[in-house]
Amino acid sequence: MPDVTLASLHDQLWLTVALPALALAGLVLTIRGRGPQWRRFGAGLRALGRPGEGVGHGLAGTLGALGSFGAATAIGTATAVSLGGAGVLPYVWLFGILVAPVRWGETLLAGTDAPGRGDAAASGSLPRRLLRMGDRFRVAGVALLLLTLATAFAWAGAAHAAAAGDAAGALLEADGAAFAYGALALGALLAIFALASPKGTALLGWVAIVALLTVLGAGLWAVFADPAATFAVLGRAFGDAMNGAEAAGPFTGALAGEIATAAALHALAPQAASTGVEGSAQALGGGVKAQAAAAAVLPLVQAIVATALVMAFVGSGAYRTRVEMSRPMIEGRVYTMAVATANDRSEPGRLYQGFMRIVGGEPRNPQLSFGFERGMVEDPVYELDDEPANVGMEARDGLPFRLMVSGSPRSLEPSARKSLSDLRIRGKMLPTKGSLYAAAFVAAGGDLASKLALVALLALAVVGLAFWGVGAGRALPTSLPAPLALAAGALPAIGGALAVSGALPRLLSVGGILAACLVAATSLLLILRSREITKLGG
C-alpha cells in the first residue's frame, strides 16, 4: 500500500472513528457516572497521596499519566503547534475533560474481576477481564488481546523511539538513532523488571515521577524565560481556535478547521492511543475505587504538561522562525506563486500541475516555489540519498505524485527502488516535530535548557515504552507461563528497533491504524459496560 494511502487511512480512522468513539464513551460515562471527573476529584487527589494495596495509587497513577502521554505526545504537540499555533490548546483541555471518565471507567473494569469470579488478581487488564467473563465475551477478549499486543509492537515502540530520536538529533545536530535505541533498551528492561517483581513495578513508578518533574521543570523554564510572551499564549488560544490563527511572518496562519484537525491527529491521537492499556497500569495501584478516582484526576496532569509545552513552542516564537532542516518532499506542495496567508493556500491557481525537472539539486523550473503546511522554503536544495538529486517529478494539484530517476544518460523512468518518500528538500523552513521542540528550548534558555529538555523527552520515551511493555505483558491471561508475559513486555522495544533500523519503514503508519482500532474497540466496550461501570464506581 502506498505511503499516501496509508497516511490517508490513518487520518480518516482517527478523525471519523477512533476519536468520535472515545468522545462518545466519555459523554456516556460522564452522564451515567454523574460527572466522575468532578464528583470524584477530591477523592482522587486524596488517593494520590495514600498507599494502595499494590504499588500505591500515586505511583500507579503517575505511571499511567506519563506512560500514556510519553514522548510521542510531546512531539505530537509540537507538530500540532507547527500546524495551528496557540489554537491547539483548548482542544488539549477539552480532551482532558472528556477522557477523564474513560480512564475512570477503564480502571474500574480492569481492576475488578468478572461478576461471580471474585479474584481481582487474575484480572488486571481489559483483555483479561473479558476472557474471565467467558461465553460470548471470550471472542471479544481474544480480539482485544491480539489488538493490544499488535499495537504495542507496531505503534508504541516506533512512536516513542521516533520522537526521542527526532528531538535528540535536532537538539544535538547529530544522528538521534543511538538515543532512540538507548530509550528502547532501557524501556524494555524496566518493563520486564516491572512484570517480574513488585519492586520493579515500584521502581518504574518512581521513574515516572522523576520524568514528570523533569518535564515540568523544562516546560516551566521555557515559560518563565519570557513570561509576558508565554502567558499571552493563554489569552489568544481560544480566539485562534474559534477564528483561526493569523499570519505571523513566515507562518501563513491556519483556518479554524485546520487547527482542530492538527490538534486531533497530532496532539490528541498519540495520547488517546493508550486507551485499552491504561487500565493495566492503574490496576497496579490496588484499591480499585480510589485508584479509579485518581485515574480521573490524572488527565489534568497531562493537560498541564501539554499547556507548558504549547506555551513554550508559541511564546518563544520558535513556531514561526525558519531554521535550516530537511523534510521529505512528499509532505509539501509545489506552488506557481509563493503563499503568504492561509487563504492563499486554497487558491487553485497557485498549485502547480505538471512536470518538475531537478538537476544537481536545483529545479529547472525556477519560477516554482515549494512549501510545507504553514510556510515556504527558502533556498531549497533537493536531495536523494543525501546527494543533490537528478530526477523528475510529476505534481498534481501541487502534490508530488510520481518520481522518475535517471534510467540512462538521456532518459528518466520510474524506479522500483526509489519512491517519493526518498526525495527530500533541504533549506530554511518552519520547524516541526523534534525540530520545533529543540528550537523552542534553545530560544528560551540556550544550551542548558535544551539539555534539560532532551533529558525530559528521553525520560518520557523510556516511561512510555515501559508503560506499553507492562500493558502488553498484563494483557496475557495469568494462566499462561510467566516467561510469555516477560516476552510480551519487550514487544514495544522490538517493534521500535525494527522501525528505527529501517527494516520495517511503514511500521509506525500501520501501528497508528492499529491504535485507532484499539481505541475504537475499547470505547465501544466501555459504552456497552457503562451500566456495570457505574455500579462498580458507586
Side-chain angles (χ1 to χ4, degrees):
M1 186 180 293
D3 293 339
V4 175
T5 305
L6 271 178
S8 177
L9 177 60
H10 170 278
D11 292 355
Q12 289 303 313
L13 274 176
W14 276 104
L15 291 174
T16 63
V17 179
L19 289 175
L22 186 64
L24 180 60
L27 288 172
V28 169
L29 291 172
T30 296
I31 295 170
R32 286 203 160 171
R34 292 173 291 135
Q37 62 268 63
W38 299 293
R39 186 169 58 89
R40 304 289 292 164
F41 188 81
L45 288 179
R46 292 190 295 272
L48 290 173
R50 294 200 310 264
E53 299 169 9
V55 299
H57 301 313
L59 292 180
T62 307
L63 172 59
L66 266 288
S68 60
F69 192 87
T73 302
I75 298 304
T77 302
T79 304
V81 169
S82 72
L83 297 173
V88 304
L89 192 54
Y91 294 100
V92 169
W93 283 94
L94 177 62
F95 178 80
I97 293 171
L98 282 176
V99 81
V102 173
R103 301 298 187 231
W104 171 77
E106 185 178 346
T107 301
L108 286 170
L109 275 186
T112 56
D113 200 6
R117 302 299 294 270
D119 184 8
S123 186
S125 70
L126 292 182
R128 287 181 183 177
R129 178 64 144 76
L130 286 171
L131 289 171
R132 288 183 62 79
M133 289 170 70
D135 298 331
R136 65 185 185 278
F137 295 102
R138 185 172 296 277
V139 174
V142 171
L144 193 62
L145 168 62
L146 295 177
L147 192 53
T148 300
L149 296 177
T151 305
F153 171 77
W155 184 84
H160 291 301
D166 190 25
L171 281 163
L172 302 177
E173 297 182 354
D175 185 4
F179 290 89
Y181 285 124
L184 288 166
L186 187 54
L189 288 174
L190 284 173
I192 292 171
F193 188 24
L195 289 167
S197 165
K199 291 183 178 180
T201 306
L203 172 63
L204 181 54
W206 282 110
V207 171
I209 288 177
V210 172
L212 172 61
L213 295 175
T214 307
V215 171
L216 285 176
L220 292 175
W221 186 326
V223 167
F224 287 101
D226 188 352
T230 51
F231 279 96
V233 174
L234 300 178
R236 59 188 282 197
F238 286 88
D240 285 0
M242 295 295 294
N243 305 312
E246 296 181 355
F251 180 77
T252 64
L255 305 176
E258 294 173 331
I259 296 174
T261 300
L265 290 177
H266 302 290
L268 307 185
Q271 190 174 341
S274 65
T275 304
V277 182
E278 176 88 16
S280 302
Q282 300 293 352
L284 295 169
V288 64
K289 287 188 179 181
Q291 189 64 49
V297 170
L298 289 165
L300 173 64
V301 175
Q302 298 169 327
I304 290 172
V305 172
T307 298
L309 292 175
V310 172
M311 292 171 70
F313 299 148
V314 178
S316 66
Y319 83 110
R320 52 181 172 82
T321 303
R322 288 191 180 100
V323 298
E324 183 75 24
M325 58 180 287
S326 169
R327 289 182 64 179
M329 190 173 176
I330 197 173
E331 296 177 0
R333 285 193 173 191
V334 186
Y335 295 93
T336 57
M337 294 177 285
V339 168
T341 68
N343 289 329
D344 288 348
R345 288 185 284 103
S346 60
E347 292 183 6
R350 292 180 181 267
L351 299 174
Y352 179 64
Q353 297 264 21
F355 188 74
M356 185 176 181
R357 183 71 166 95
I358 301 169
V359 179
E362 297 183 358
R364 288 286 183 89
N365 317 57
Q367 79 280 6
L368 299 179
S369 300
F370 196 88
F372 290 101
E373 302 89 351
R374 299 294 177 264
M376 307 304 295
V377 180
E378 284 188 354
D379 305 322
V381 176
Y382 300 86
E383 298 178 333
L384 189 65
D385 297 331
D386 297 323
E387 298 289 340
N390 182 23
V391 299
M393 187 204 67
E394 182 183 356
R396 295 186 180 180
D397 294 325
L399 295 171
F401 175 74
R402 184 168 56 131
L403 178 70
M404 288 164 282
V405 300
S406 297
S408 66
R410 294 185 178 182
S411 69
L412 294 172
E413 59 187 37
S415 171
R417 295 182 297 107
K418 299 295 177 184
S419 68
L420 281 169
S421 300
D422 299 310
L423 184 62
R424 301 183 68 85
I425 182 168
R426 180 176 298 279
K428 293 181 179 179
M429 63 189 80
L430 294 179
T432 187
K433 298 182 181 178
S435 296
L436 177 54
Y437 185 90
F441 285 99
V442 170
D447 186 64
L448 189 57
S450 65
K451 295 299 188 294
L452 178 62
L454 176 58
V455 172
L457 192 76
L458 291 176
L460 280 175
V462 169
V463 172
L465 286 160
F467 161 85
W468 272 91
V470 169
R474 287 174 62 83
L476 295 175
T478 54
S479 58
L480 294 178
L484 286 179
L486 301 183
L491 278 177
I494 296 171
L498 291 173
V500 172
S501 68
L504 294 176
R506 296 180 179 177
L507 188 63
L508 181 56
S509 297
V510 174
I513 293 171
L514 290 171
C517 295
L518 176 62
V519 171
T522 304
S523 299
L524 178 61
L525 169 66
L526 295 176
I527 292 171
L528 294 175
R529 307 303 297 177
S530 58
R531 190 179 300 275
E532 180 186 4
I533 289 170
T534 54
K535 289 181 180 179
L536 291 171

